[in-house]
Amino acid sequence: MHWADVLADELIKDDRKHVLATGITPSGPIHIGNMREILTTDAVYRCLLEKGVKGKLIYVADDFDPLRKVYPYLSKTYEKYVGMPISDIPCPCGKHKSYADHFLISFLNSLKEIGVKPKIYRANEMYKKGEFNKAIQIALDNTDKIKDIIQKISKRELPKDWIPFNIRCEKCKKLTSTKAILYEYPFIEYRCDCGYEGEVDIRKGGVGKLPWRVDWPARWKMLGITFEPFGKDLGTTGGARDTGVKIVEEIYDYPAPKYTVYEFIMLKGKGAMHSSKGTALSAEEMLKMTPPEVLRFLLMNNQPSKHLVFDSGLGLLNLVDEYDKEERVFFGKEEAIKGMKDLKKVYELSQPYDIAKKIPLQLPYRHLVTLVQIEEKWSDTKKILLRTNQIPKDISHEDDEHLKQRAEHAKYWLDNFAPDMVKFEVKKKVPKLNLNEEQKKFLSSLLINISKKSWNAENIHNAIYETSEKIKIPIKTCFNTIYQIILGQEKGPRAGYFLSNLDKDFVLERIKEAIK
Ligand SMILES: [Zn+2]
Ligand SMILES: [Zn+2]
């Protein structure tokens, strides 16, 4: 059985409405680990619905969390905001409502493409509307018990005057620099490092925030959460999950949600750790470079507990091929091979939206990677595909959209992550050449050979080999020569296929000019 079905079956044992939660603190570029969390939860959610059980998928953005420090990607001017909630700090680019939105909005938009549509909750709104008030009061009434739980389980000593509430200073707006002096419901007297002394009324929303170890279990109860996976960092002994379970059960009188612990995704390959923009690879970029069904496939095809390596280099092309193969098997076009597990379920869960009735039009991804470098726009790429009969004249709207989307991902990958060896540019004019006699001889001979042949990959491929043999010039020199006159470089994509996508007259003309 697929792992998501196993988790869904476990949930169904409790006959109730299920709320499956996932979330993030948008304090920086959203990490690819969060992608695993979202897709893991989405998979369990889908399995649940399939079994006819009611469920809700939610995404909680903890945008009331304070900015912890000036991260390397921030300007020094952010020093003054450290300690303030990230929903109340200006965004770094000036185009978003807040710092939190800067990292959150585009990520949430990109989730649509991958077929995940959770209900969004924002902690800053929940706090400000007073939705946490009850939980805050309960926490404060149980200060000693909570302190005891955290100290015992986390083996961490808390300050003598610790309370389970971080007051937001009314003057400097920071959550991290206040100390409570006296709590007497509903007021807390406090003192801030900025020199301000005051009093907040906890019946008013947004006057402070529960510390993370209390915030999390309080949220489980408030939102009725029954399932929430977490990364292995939170699952360590004495970690936030351990204290959360105890707090939710003993203080909030609510059963801890079921869960699965997911492993992180490691990065491999050139450009993996640092993209062109100089930041660590974000979840959003991972999505932009990978076709959505393929990214889902990577995660659906592996247990959440399995350590994964994401290769943003050539490995990405292999991953797409692997997916396409799975698709052919799913639609009965090919036999399954050893190692394909839960094939049907994996394929179904890999679809961002509906499962196609018949197999989507497949075009080898490597071909697409070549084609999008020949023509910039999809409409032009499509013309090549039609001219060379690689797609049918009456291509369906779905197939057209599907290929177009893949072309966009291939382009993003090429622009930002692809190794140089797969990149090229068709030169508009003959590049500066220094061809020797041997190379010119090859080109002259090739010109005669291919002029009279019909223009397709196989014919061109054969013509190159025939010419090489006939005039006894090493095949490697032949290929180098072709790439030199068209791309101005020594290497390039598979020559037969590549040339067949260029206009025949263009290629013949180029050869003539090169040997002039
Ligand atoms: Zn912004
Ligand atoms: Zn202050």
Side-chain angles (χ1 to χ4, degrees):
M1 206 180 354
H2 189 266
W3 57 262
D5 270 325
V6 174
L7 289 166
D9 281 348
E10 189 58 37
L11 277 183
I12 287 172
K13 287 179 189 162
D14 292 330
D15 184 19
R16 55 177 296 187
K17 186 177 177 202
H18 287 281
V19 178
L20 296 85
T22 167
I24 188 74
T25 301
S27 55
I30 291 167
H31 191 264
I32 56 172
N34 196 240
M35 188 60 84
R36 189 166 210 179
E37 179 170 314
I38 291 168
L39 288 176
T40 299
T41 315
D42 185 58
V44 180
Y45 169 66
R46 287 187 184 195
C47 289
L48 207 63
L49 296 190
E50 202 185 275
K51 292 170 201 289
V53 176
K54 280 207 182 100
K56 191 162 112 180
L57 180 67
I58 68 170
Y59 187 86
V60 185
D62 190 359
D63 57 358
F64 202 49
D65 212 44
L67 182 69
R68 305 279 166 186
K69 60 176 182 178
V70 181
Y71 296 102
Y73 45 81
L74 294 174
S75 89
K76 286 278 164 285
T77 58
Y78 274 79
E79 193 63 57
K80 60 178 179 285
Y81 300 124
V82 173
M84 284 170 63
I86 52 176
S87 57
D88 298 350
I89 299 175
C91 101
C93 78
K95 288 181 197 145
H96 300 91
K97 222 175 72 198
S98 71
Y99 180 95
D101 276 16
H102 178 81
F103 294 106
L104 192 62
I105 295 288
S106 55
F107 175 70
L108 289 179
N109 284 337
S110 64
L111 280 183
K112 285 181 198 134
E113 191 190 7
I114 206 165
V116 182
K117 291 183 291 180
K119 177 166 170 48
I120 314 286
Y121 288 88
R122 286 162 173 272
N124 100 83
E125 289 172 0
M126 294 168 76
Y127 271 101
K128 287 172 186 167
K129 280 187 203 155
E131 289 168 13
F132 269 95
N133 287 2
K134 183 95 184 121
I136 292 167
Q137 192 192 337
I138 292 173
L140 286 168
D141 289 346
N142 289 280
T143 296
D144 290 344
K145 276 194 203 158
I146 293 176
K147 192 174 173 183
D148 201 44
I149 291 171
I150 294 176
Q151 293 196 131
K152 260 202 197 119
I153 296 180
S154 74
K155 310 234 183 311
R156 191 163 65 112
E157 197 70 31
L158 292 171
K160 221 169 147 278
D161 52 1
W162 183 88
I163 60 164
F165 192 61
N166 298 325
I167 303 147
R168 182 159 71 141
C169 171
E170 292 150 289
K171 181 150 180 269
C172 71
K173 310 290 180 206
K174 293 189 177 184
L175 280 162
T176 48
S177 51
T178 50
K179 274 207 167 54
I181 301 167
L182 183 73
Y183 165 59
E184 215 163 293
Y185 181 82
F187 302 106
I188 311 176
E189 274 176 44
Y190 70 95
R191 185 181 298 133
C192 180
D193 291 347
C194 75
Y196 186 79
E197 281 185 34
E199 185 183 77
V200 289
D201 180 344
I202 62 162
R203 292 170 305 179
K204 285 190 189 145
V207 298
K209 187 179 193 291
L210 294 168
W212 164 239
R213 281 181 188 260
V214 185
D215 180 289
W216 201 18
R219 188 198 293 172
W220 290 339
K221 156 109 179 203
M222 280 169 57
L223 299 173
I225 294 167
T226 58
F227 178 83
E228 182 168 358
F230 48 86
K232 61 172 185 178
D233 55 332
L234 294 179
T236 51
T237 311
R241 165 78 196 185
D242 275 1
T243 50
V245 169
K246 200 91 173 152
I247 291 170
V248 82
E249 286 171 357
E250 293 189 3
I251 309 297
Y252 290 114
D253 191 24
Y254 181 81
K258 296 211 163 74
Y259 67 98
T260 183
V261 181
Y262 60 87
E263 257 287 347
F264 297 128
I265 304 176
M266 297 298 159
L267 300 162
K268 187 196 165 192
K270 182 185 171 284
M273 294 311 290
H274 299 278
S275 76
S276 58
K277 290 167 206 79
T279 54
L281 179 65
S282 69
E284 213 179 318
E285 279 181 303
M286 191 185 192
L287 225 173
K288 278 187 191 156
M289 81 170 96
T290 319
E293 67 279 9
V294 177
L295 182 51
R296 289 191 69 107
F297 170 70
L298 172 68
L299 296 172
M300 297 308 144
N301 199 27
N302 292 286
Q303 294 268 358
S305 59
K306 191 176 163 197
H307 173 93
L308 279 186
V309 177
F310 181 74
D311 182 355
S312 63
L314 291 176
L316 182 59
L317 303 183
N318 297 334
L319 182 63
V320 180
D321 288 347
E322 203 189 320
Y323 170 85
D324 284 351
K325 166 106 187 153
E326 183 106 354
E327 184 167 79
R328 292 192 295 276
V329 176
F330 178 85
F331 284 99
K333 306 285 175 197
E334 263 177 41
E335 293 287 315
I337 51 167
K338 240 176 81 182
M340 282 184 171
K341 264 182 66 190
D342 301 312
L343 182 128
K344 185 170 175 288
K345 196 76 194 194
V346 167
Y347 182 79
E348 287 170 356
L349 287 173
S350 300
Q351 304 313 305
Y353 290 97
D354 298 337
I355 298 152
K357 297 226 163 43
K358 64 182 186 57
I359 187 165
L361 183 63
Q362 288 199 348
L363 185 72
Y365 200 59
R366 281 176 168 79
H367 286 185
L368 213 44
V369 166
T370 297
L371 289 165
V372 298
Q373 295 186 81
I374 296 174
E375 288 293 355
E376 184 86 6
K377 287 196 303 223
W378 171 244
S379 53
D380 294 329
T381 308
K382 202 175 143 186
K383 274 182 205 151
I384 297 179
L385 288 167
L386 287 167
R387 188 181 70 215
T388 51
N389 295 319
Q390 295 180 73
I391 57 172
K393 299 259 179 303
D394 59 347
I395 181 172
S396 72
H397 177 69
E398 290 78 28
D399 284 339
D400 191 339
E401 285 296 312
H402 175 61
L403 291 181
K404 182 181 171 194
Q405 189 191 41
R406 280 200 162 190
E408 278 160 14
H409 287 280
K411 228 179 289 171
Y412 189 85
W413 177 72
L414 283 161
D415 289 345
N416 297 282
F417 296 94
D420 288 338
M421 60 184 288
V422 299
K423 290 197 248 186
F424 64 82
E425 185 199 336
V426 176
K427 297 282 183 267
K428 295 216 163 54
K429 288 186 186 137
V430 191
K432 271 212 171 68
L433 295 167
N434 200 1
L435 300 180
N436 58 33
E437 285 312 309
E438 196 180 41
Q439 288 177 303
K440 285 186 180 169
K441 195 174 154 202
F442 161 70
L443 288 174
S444 309
S445 188
L446 180 70
L447 183 64
I448 297 164
N449 191 327
I450 55 173
S451 294
K452 51 187 188 247
K453 287 200 169 136
S454 72
W455 198 242
N456 64 49
E458 202 188 341
N459 283 350
I460 300 168
H461 174 86
N462 291 341
I464 297 169
Y465 274 89
E466 284 161 20
T467 310
S468 158
E469 271 169 37
K470 194 173 138 209
I471 58 174
K472 309 234 174 322
I473 290 175
I475 190 70
K476 193 165 171 270
T477 309
C478 299
F479 284 128
N480 285 349
T481 309
I482 290 169
Y483 298 132
Q484 275 179 40
I485 66 167
I486 293 174
L487 307 174
Q489 62 189 42
E490 299 266 311
K491 288 196 163 70
R494 299 186 77 129
Y497 177 76
F498 168 57
L499 294 180
S500 74
N501 288 296
L502 299 175
D503 183 57
K504 183 177 182 181
D505 290 338
F506 168 84
V507 176
L508 299 184
E509 202 50 45
R510 177 60 55 93
I511 296 176
K512 281 179 204 160
E513 279 182 63
I515 53 182
K516 246 201 293 209

